[in-house]
Amino acid sequence: KPIEVCALWLNALVSMTQFARALKRPAVKYESLAMKTREGFQRFWNPATGYCFDVLDSPEGNDASLRPNQVFAVSLPESPLNSDQQRAVVDVCARQLLTSHGLRSLAPSEQGYVGHYGGSLRERDASYHQGTVWGWLLGPFVRAHLRVYGDPGRAASFLKPMAQHLKQHGLGTASEIFDGDPPFTPRGCIAQAWTVAEILSAWRAIENFGRRTRPTTPP
């Protein structure tokens, strides 16, 4: 039971509830499943670490590795976590996973962390999700931070290094991945669509948040 899949499942159920109501169709089935999902999701909370398990009920048990997948439980429209849990998730991701160009796929403090993406094809594949930074994860992180702290200026600051990156590697675009260790050298594809899309999506979310919270000026 990966945490990001369960978070997406909840959002799918809520969306289906809304669709059913809009179409004047029965929505009870979706509402009931969404309620059960919210209740069951609390199993992901790990009180020993103060953040979420990455996977539940694997052959080895619950996986407590610190990975970025839990950020989706905060960044998606429907969050199954309470406000304190949401803040804790954002804070731990900011402390241990956030870099100038994205989120590490595994915290440096975890066993098996690999801070450099390189070597043979086998070595590169083995490090892909063991610390390599993924640029597209900036989008969910920024939206999660904006939700928890309501500070569009601070949220926008996380995107500024990417503005410089546009001039330094694949000119005018954004890379797929980066080393987990400084100086976070870009690797992989030099022009990755999902990195570009998530940066633009996060920027739009910041702009829209600013419009909603900006005081209206009298005529």
Side-chain angles (χ1 to χ4, degrees):
K1 301 180 180 71
I3 189 169
E4 72 278 11
V5 174
C6 293
L8 287 163
W9 172 239
L10 171 63
N11 278 264
L13 291 170
V14 172
S15 295
M16 288 302 296
T17 300
Q18 295 168 348
F19 283 138
R21 287 174 177 167
L23 296 170
K24 302 188 185 321
R25 300 286 183 86
V28 176
K29 175 175 64 174
Y30 304 116
E31 287 180 302
S32 176
L33 283 172
M35 184 179 301
K36 289 180 179 179
T37 302
R38 286 184 185 278
E39 293 172 355
F41 203 93
Q42 282 301 312
R43 284 191 59 211
F44 277 105
W45 186 253
N46 184 355
T49 61
Y51 51 85
C52 292
F53 287 109
D54 186 54
V55 178
L56 295 180
D57 302 333
S58 76
E60 293 77 30
N62 297 339
D63 184 359
S65 301
L66 178 52
R67 295 184 182 274
N69 305 304
Q70 61 186 296
V71 80
F72 291 99
V74 186
S75 66
L76 289 168
E78 295 294 325
S79 176
L81 301 175
N82 63 45
S83 57
D84 290 338
Q85 291 170 337
Q86 290 175 22
R87 183 176 296 240
V89 166
V90 170
D91 287 350
V92 74
C93 287
R95 288 195 306 269
Q96 299 199 47
L97 301 178
L98 180 66
T99 72
S100 52
H101 295 97
L103 298 185
R104 295 182 178 98
S105 49
L106 182 67
S109 58
E110 296 285 353
Q111 185 177 2
Y113 171 79
V114 180
H116 171 70
Y117 178 84
S120 67
L121 176 61
R122 184 180 181 86
E123 290 172 320
R124 296 197 304 274
D125 285 349
S127 66
Y128 222 33
H129 299 288
Q130 292 299 109
T132 295
V133 171
W134 291 77
W136 74 275
L137 289 174
L138 264 182
F141 175 80
V142 166
R143 288 192 292 274
H145 192 282
L146 193 61
R147 177 184 206 146
V148 167
Y149 286 101
D151 185 344
R154 180 61 175 154
S157 71
F158 299 121
L159 299 175
K160 287 183 178 179
M162 274 297 193
Q164 294 302 314
H165 174 64
L166 296 177
K167 308 171 187 176
Q168 295 171 344
H169 198 56
L171 299 182
T173 187
S175 297
E176 176 189 14
I177 55 175
F178 303 79
D179 281 345
D181 291 343
F184 311 117
T185 303
R187 307 287 183 185
C189 174
I190 65 170
Q192 183 54 264
W194 55 64
T195 307
V196 174
E198 279 296 342
I199 292 170
L200 291 174
S201 176
W203 188 260
R204 174 167 288 188
I206 293 168
E207 288 187 326
N208 290 340
F209 185 91
R211 292 192 190 100
R212 291 196 304 270
T213 58
R214 191 177 298 125
T216 55
T217 304

